[in-house]
Amino acid sequence: MPNFKYLTVALFAIIIAGCAGQAARQSDNAQIADAEARLRAGDYLGASQIYQNLEVNSDAPEYYRMMVAYVSLRSGNTREAQALLAQVLPDKLGSDEQAFYQVLRSWADLNQGKAKDAMARLNTFNADQLAPSNRRIYYKLRASAYNQLGNMVDSARERLNYAALIRNPDEARKNNEAIFETLDRVPVATLKDLVLQEKTGDLVGWMDLVLLTHAPENQRYNYLQTWLQRYPGHPATGEFIDSLKIKPGSGGKTQPAQQPPAATGAVSPAPNGNVIGVLLPLSGPYASLAQAVKDGIEAAHNADTSSPKPRLEYVDTQNADVAALYRKLVSLGARAVIGPLTKEELGVLSKSGNLSVTALGLNQTQDVNAEKIYQFGLIPEQDLEQSAASAWADGFQSALVLAPSSAFGTRMSGYFTDYWKGLGGKVLTVKTYNPGASEYTRPVGELLSAASQAAGRAFVFLIADARDARLIKPQIDAQQTAPLPVFAMSRVYDGHADAAMQNKDLSGITFCDIPWLLNDKASDPLSLTSLHTLADKTSESDLRLIAMGIDAYKLLPQLDILRSGSPYSGYTGRLSLQPGNRIRRQLDCAMLDGGTLRLRGPAPNVQPATGGGTIASR
């Protein structure tokens, strides 16, 4: 798969040569060229000073005041740009300059998370009213606005309009990557419906290409040949298609969708029998967690139509020698083992040696390094990264963090700070609150007081459960002087998509979570809808562990596919194998809008890149 670089609003650094139009006198051209050269070099102060001088000394003060605002936007100073734009008299500008003025106003709106306002401005004119060099900014702003509004298809459509104006091969490559990444955030079922509706054109070709990469790995090459015949001359043909690295399979023949290739040793069937062993702390302090995992395993086992179906053998690891229990399960005929659950038990098993069959551990720890142990768990750091990555992909730069005053809050806020700074973002402040309190006026006020320091797009990153978030979010709304978007970890959502009245207080929060909880329209036998009776008797804090149990059972025959580099679409996310046999989950993202879930598609997977900048991979 290719590496994707996210193109945020802050990167709309396209030099607007010729933008002066009728407003600038011929004698100003040398100074304009100097200002543009300084912009290309990143000398925003120098460029601003030139435009300020022209504002005072030329016969086009409104135009040059607008250009000072443009430089402020380029440098990330949205507040200053807004103040300057408010002083510009649009009726003193030429017609194309008036349109560009609206472009800058919409840019400032987007920097504050006001996508609806930005789109409303952009809809007051069309691209033909802009100088050709500025139409690129117009289409990229529209793409970003649709992205913030959760409309990934129209966001990709605007990028196709932008593609027609690109002359630079590197920029065309980046735009192709952005189109693919945007459409990859659309649910697969929705894409399939849209392909049937659209039928022809570059957009449907991109949709079909995304669907191709979700097909079983051993079918993709055949699908690609069909795609190439169906979309001759498509802009993805060539370099982008090559970057997907889709190679022919064995003999080029399509194989059954869910069958792993010939065994490579990931799961070693034991001659004793068809048994899957399960190591869980069924008693003691972790019993409720273990029960939720067990419920998920049982549900997946009941839905298993294979023949012969494996028998499940459970053992309680509470106060027991987990290595001895593992050997007992192998002696009973276990061809694979699910568990153990805790990091401590996983470490003990890893160091015990002589592991004859695969163990799918239900946690992750740096202490484990054993070929036969895979590490799979609902790791909060992965959750945090992907919610934060959504903010980064939406173009936000400056973060205000609010976390509980607990060991978990300290751990998560510290991890967020390191991750966000690694991307190149700024953390303006980290404030804490007492979890379970009755009101949060003071900590929210202290948090928002730091918003005035924001250089670039600011947002709140909230670490809170649903109970605390329902009290905190209304306080943020009441105390903020300018709209601040809120992104949060998954624990902000309790899984009740139908609780509109309760969720209304969370309106405007964007978060990433497991597909099993977010897809309330699914009706397959293992969906949340089908397992609602089981879910209703499970505490909200343990609910996601049911999905983990389902995936743990279903993952065992898929480990060879993961080892080949292909992802597996599970109930806890899109699963892929990382170094150290660690399984990473790509979550889905959503926004609560008036108490109702609005899905945004798969989370971006953005990681700090070596040497600066960011990379995003699927």
Side-chain angles (χ1 to χ4, degrees):
M1 292 291 178
N3 285 336
F4 299 111
K5 291 195 176 182
Y6 280 90
L7 305 178
T8 65
V9 178
L11 296 180
F12 291 148
I14 302 171
I15 301 303
I16 53 172
C19 204
Q22 302 169 353
R25 296 184 303 177
Q26 190 73 21
S27 59
D28 297 337
N29 285 349
Q31 294 180 75
I32 292 171
D34 188 11
E36 290 177 352
R38 290 175 183 272
L39 279 173
R40 285 192 294 270
D43 181 8
Y44 299 118
L45 178 60
S48 181
Q49 288 174 341
I50 291 172
Y51 285 130
Q52 288 179 51
N53 180 60
L54 287 168
E55 177 189 350
V56 174
N57 297 307
S58 80
D59 59 0
E62 302 301 324
Y63 168 75
Y64 288 119
R65 188 175 302 122
M66 180 176 69
M67 292 304 296
V68 177
Y70 167 71
V71 175
S72 296
L73 284 170
R74 285 280 299 273
S75 67
N77 194 335
T78 301
R79 291 177 184 273
E80 181 178 278
Q82 279 188 309
L84 288 164
L85 290 169
Q87 298 171 24
V88 174
L89 301 175
D91 59 351
K92 301 291 186 182
L93 299 170
S95 59
D96 60 332
E97 294 162 2
Q98 289 181 19
F100 187 66
Y101 170 79
Q102 294 299 333
V103 166
L104 297 183
R105 292 293 298 268
S106 66
W107 187 344
D109 286 338
L110 281 173
N111 281 1
Q112 292 190 311
K114 298 188 289 187
K116 290 182 180 178
D117 292 343
M119 187 59 78
R121 290 186 188 279
L122 293 170
N123 285 340
T124 61
F125 62 96
N126 59 54
D128 292 340
Q129 294 174 251
L130 290 165
S133 55
N134 293 330
R135 292 173 192 166
R136 290 183 291 170
I137 300 178
Y138 169 81
Y139 286 125
K140 291 184 81 172
L141 284 170
R142 291 182 69 88
S144 180
Y146 277 127
N147 183 290
Q148 284 191 35
L149 292 169
N151 188 340
M152 300 302 161
V153 175
D154 281 338
S155 180
R157 201 185 305 273
E158 296 295 344
R159 283 197 170 273
L160 286 174
N161 291 328
Y162 170 67
L165 302 172
I166 298 175
R167 299 293 179 267
N168 182 290
D170 186 56
E171 187 65 19
R173 176 184 58 79
K174 293 176 181 178
N175 192 56
N176 282 343
E177 292 174 353
I179 292 170
F180 186 93
E181 181 68 20
T182 298
L183 290 174
D184 196 37
R185 298 180 72 183
V186 178
V188 168
T190 302
L191 278 182
K192 289 179 178 178
D193 290 341
L194 289 170
V195 165
L196 295 176
Q197 295 170 22
E198 296 273 344
K199 295 184 180 178
T200 59
D202 286 349
L203 181 62
V204 73
W206 280 112
M207 293 177 184
D208 235 354
L209 188 60
V210 171
L211 289 174
L212 184 156
T213 64
H214 286 270
E217 191 272 342
N218 53 16
Q219 296 181 14
R220 292 176 194 169
Y221 182 76
N222 286 352
Y223 289 172
L224 177 58
Q225 303 316 302
T226 302
W227 186 94
L228 289 169
Q229 294 174 16
R230 187 177 298 163
Y231 306 104
H234 191 277
T237 305
E239 181 184 7
F240 188 85
I241 289 289
D242 293 343
S243 72
L244 296 176
K245 298 180 180 178
I246 299 175
K247 304 297 182 184
S250 177
K253 296 180 180 179
T254 298
Q255 300 180 25
Q258 293 299 327
Q259 295 301 314
T264 60
V267 178
S268 304
N272 310 57
N274 188 22
V275 176
I276 292 178
V278 186
L279 295 165
L280 287 174
L282 298 171
S283 60
Y286 299 110
S288 67
L289 281 67
Q291 185 60 51
V293 174
K294 182 181 178 183
D295 286 342
I297 294 172
E298 293 283 354
H301 183 257
N302 291 338
D304 188 355
T305 59
S306 64
S307 181
K309 187 189 302 188
R311 175 171 60 87
L312 295 173
E313 186 71 39
Y314 294 91
V315 290
D316 186 358
T317 60
Q318 174 64 14
N319 294 327
D321 182 346
V322 70
L325 292 177
Y326 168 89
R327 291 191 293 272
K328 175 184 176 181
L329 288 171
V330 173
S331 71
L332 292 173
R335 58 182 172 85
V337 171
I338 296 174
L341 180 65
T342 70
K343 291 183 178 181
E344 292 76 15
E345 292 172 342
L346 200 54
V348 170
L349 182 61
S350 172
K351 295 171 184 176
S352 65
N354 194 28
L355 301 178
S356 56
V357 301
T358 292
L360 181 61
L362 301 177
N363 215 317
Q364 291 187 8
T365 173
Q366 296 294 330
D367 298 332
V368 170
N369 184 20
E371 182 182 356
K372 290 289 185 179
I373 294 181
Y374 289 77
Q375 301 185 64
F376 170 56
L378 305 186
I379 309 304
E381 284 82 358
Q382 290 182 10
D383 171 336
L384 181 149
E385 278 188 14
Q386 295 179 57
S387 293
S390 290
W392 183 261
D394 282 353
F396 295 102
Q397 301 161 12
S398 300
L400 301 99
V401 183
L402 187 59
S405 54
S406 63
F408 178 81
T410 300
R411 172 183 154 199
M412 289 299 102
S413 60
Y415 190 87
F416 174 87
T417 297
D418 291 342
Y419 172 77
W420 192 253
K421 288 182 177 179
L423 296 182
K426 297 179 180 179
V427 177
L428 299 179
T429 189
V430 177
K431 297 296 181 182
T432 61
Y433 64 90
N434 293 323
S438 58
E439 71 91 26
Y440 299 91
T441 305
R442 183 188 57 77
V444 169
E446 292 176 351
L447 180 83
L448 297 180
S449 66
S452 60
Q453 307 167 28
R457 305 179 68 196
F459 73 104
V460 172
F461 192 80
L462 179 61
I463 301 169
D465 60 20
R467 184 266 177 200
D468 287 339
R470 288 189 180 109
L471 297 176
I472 291 172
K473 180 56 166 61
Q475 278 295 321
I476 293 174
D477 294 340
Q479 294 190 49
Q480 62 187 355
T481 56
L484 280 173
V486 178
F487 289 74
M489 293 181 66
S490 63
R491 47 196 283 130
V492 78
Y493 180 60
D494 59 16
H496 297 300
D498 56 347
M501 289 304 295
Q502 294 184 56
N503 291 335
K504 191 172 183 180
D505 286 334
L506 303 175
S507 186
I509 293 181
T510 298
F511 66 100
C512 301
D513 209 335
I514 64 173
W516 188 71
L517 275 188
L518 297 182
N519 190 1
D520 61 330
K521 301 295 189 296
S523 58
D524 65 272
L526 294 175
S527 67
L528 179 58
T529 301
S530 300
L531 299 179
H532 68 90
T533 302
L534 183 62
D536 288 345
K537 73 179 183 67
T538 304
S539 70
E540 294 172 357
S541 60
D542 297 341
L543 196 57
R544 293 169 180 82
L545 294 172
I546 296 175
M548 187 171 81
I550 295 172
D551 274 354
Y553 180 87
K554 293 174 72 65
L555 260 179
L556 289 175
Q558 305 296 330
L559 291 176
D560 277 316
I561 293 178
L562 290 187
R563 284 167 64 93
S564 74
S566 297
Y568 170 73
S569 293
Y571 290 87
T572 58
R574 195 175 188 213
L575 309 178
S576 59
L577 196 62
Q578 306 294 310
N581 282 351
R582 292 181 178 84
I583 295 170
R584 181 176 180 82
R585 299 171 298 123
Q586 182 187 21
L587 305 175
D588 283 352
C589 296
M591 173 185 280
L592 284 160
D593 186 1
T596 302
L597 272 179
R598 190 176 75 206
L599 299 182
R600 301 186 69 193
N605 181 14
V606 185
Q607 296 294 325
T610 57
T614 60
I615 60 171
S617 60
R618 292 181 356 91

